[in-house]
Amino acid sequence: MQRAIEAVRKAKLNLLVMTDVCLCEYTDHGHCGIVKNEVVQNDATLELLVTEALSHARAGADIIAPSDMMDGRVGAIRKALDANGFQDVAILAYAAKYCSGFYGPFREAAQSAPQFGDRRSYQMDPANVREALREVAMDLEEGADMVMVKPALAYLDVIRAVREEFDVPVGAYNVSGEYAMVKAAARNGWIDEQRVVMEIMTGIQRAGASIVLTYHAKDVARWVKG
């Protein structure tokens, strides 16, 4: 990650660099934090998340996006960034990240699926929208500049609730499972891929998202330009 950021900077590309900060990609157990006796250790994990975030900022990241859902990580990262001269590096907090079945294709590709249990102890209950508002409020109080709702399609009501409650940029993550369903249906000739993708993007934006992260991004850019 750090070498990739540095390469982008050395190439002098006119790009905004946003980086995901989490530990699941780097652990053999697939959880987003330090594990002891099969229990994720929230506070101990914060130290590693801070170290990771600082390394991204030093490499040239513009926006740090912690996706781990550990309590207090936004405040810890903001404090460390400010103390090390990175006051202008923004934080996009994955504030409402649900324990979802839609992450499957990504986890398979990244080999980051949990090797035991699941992530219910730190990701959110899909049935709960009020908790999402509390999580967003806490992340903003700790210094987040923007917030993310993940996934997008089954949580359009959450995006709308966050948009109506808070006057900050709201992101929505159109995740791998949502993408894969569209691609599979299009491959089988069941849907018009371009039409359905643009309808999905419009729906996410209509719900209140000002930022959409999606695996369809390159296709959408080409279709919009075309």
Side-chain angles (χ1 to χ4, degrees):
M1 178 78 81
Q2 293 83 348
R3 289 194 293 268
I5 300 167
E6 290 171 352
V8 170
R9 292 305 183 208
K10 289 178 181 177
K12 299 188 183 301
L13 301 175
N14 185 26
L15 295 175
L16 181 73
V17 178
M18 180 188 303
T19 66
D20 183 287
V21 170
C22 192
L23 301 182
C24 61
E25 178 70 7
Y26 312 107
T27 60
D28 57 5
H29 48 67
H31 280 283
C32 299
I34 295 173
V35 170
K36 183 177 181 180
N37 298 325
E38 296 195 355
V39 176
V40 175
Q41 306 297 303
N42 188 102
D43 293 353
T45 299
L46 297 185
E47 295 182 29
L48 290 180
L49 294 172
V50 165
T51 300
E52 184 180 352
L54 280 174
S55 73
H56 291 184
R58 291 184 179 117
D62 299 299
I63 300 173
I64 301 297
S67 64
D68 55 282
M69 288 297 285
M70 297 295 120
D71 291 337
R73 89 275 203 215
V74 172
I77 291 172
R78 182 74 272 165
K79 181 179 179 180
L81 289 174
D82 291 352
N84 285 273
F86 297 109
Q87 294 90 342
D88 294 333
V89 173
I91 295 178
L92 167 60
Y94 285 58
K97 183 177 180 180
Y98 285 86
C99 189
S100 170
F102 284 105
Y103 305 141
F106 168 81
R107 289 179 180 174
E108 181 180 355
Q111 298 179 337
S112 64
Q115 297 303 300
F116 60 87
D118 56 32
R119 294 173 177 164
R120 295 178 190 273
S121 66
Y122 47 98
Q123 294 181 352
M124 291 179 49
D125 178 357
N128 198 331
V129 65
R130 287 177 293 181
E131 182 185 6
L133 298 179
R134 292 196 296 270
E135 292 282 0
V136 170
M138 286 190 293
D139 283 356
L140 292 174
E141 288 172 5
E142 290 179 20
D145 302 284
M146 300 163 275
V147 295
M148 180 84 78
V149 176
K150 182 181 180 180
L153 288 183
Y155 300 90
L156 295 175
D157 61 318
V158 180
I159 298 169
R160 170 54 59 187
V162 172
R163 171 73 286 158
E164 291 179 346
E165 184 73 18
F166 303 99
D167 187 22
V168 297
V170 178
Y173 204 135
N174 179 218
V175 300
S176 60
E178 298 167 338
Y179 170 82
M181 290 192 301
V182 172
K183 298 299 285 189
R187 186 171 297 164
N188 280 298
W190 297 336
I191 60 172
D192 178 332
E193 181 177 352
Q194 180 175 343
R195 182 176 179 181
V196 168
V197 169
M198 294 308 295
E199 192 170 339
I200 289 171
M201 294 300 107
T202 300
I204 295 171
Q205 184 181 33
R206 190 178 64 244
S210 44
I211 304 165
V212 181
L213 270 70
T214 177
Y215 294 90
H216 296 291
K218 293 176 77 172
D219 287 336
V220 170
R222 185 176 71 254
W223 294 332
V224 170
K225 289 179 181 178

